[in-house]
Amino acid sequence: MAHQLQSSRAILRRTQVEAESGYSRSTIYLRISQGLWTKPVSLGARAVGWPSGDVLALNAARIAGKTDEQIRALVLKLEANRLMADAGTAASALE
């Protein structure tokens, strides 16, 4: 890893994701289209990033030798966890 991530809740920009994963920009977007990488989160009109926890989990899965099908299942789980976290944040904001 290029450097230690400070928090699994940090959002990494594309260049940081490239450094952490070893993938190029085009490979990241290819993996997204194949269901092998999580979709980025919007940070603004022209900026996106990835939760560092997603990057860590996907790197660990590759290192562990998980199959593409297992990684696709992980991607679905990670993206579902984002929705659940968002719902929890919205619910606590309403209280």
Side-chain angles (χ1 to χ4, degrees):
M1 222 183 281
H3 63 279
Q4 276 302 90
L5 297 175
Q6 296 297 318
S7 168
S8 63
R9 294 184 179 262
I11 296 178
L12 304 178
R13 298 296 302 272
R14 184 184 45 81
T15 55
Q16 294 169 298
V17 173
E18 289 173 9
E20 293 295 327
S21 68
Y23 291 144
S24 67
R25 176 191 177 278
S26 59
T27 299
I28 291 169
Y29 285 100
L30 174 65
R31 298 266 187 247
I32 292 168
S33 72
Q34 295 171 331
L36 297 171
W37 199 262
T38 56
K39 294 175 182 145
V41 295
S42 177
L43 301 176
R46 295 176 45 129
V48 297
W50 285 263
S52 59
D54 288 9
V55 176
L56 288 170
L58 290 165
N59 285 344
R62 278 286 171 207
I63 291 167
K66 302 291 184 184
T67 66
D68 284 353
E69 287 309 311
Q70 290 171 316
I71 293 175
R72 282 186 185 96
L74 175 60
V75 167
L76 292 173
K77 179 182 172 186
L78 291 169
E79 290 181 343
N81 286 344
R82 289 183 193 174
L83 296 174
M84 290 172 47
D86 185 44
T89 302
S92 64
L94 294 174
E95 295 175 348

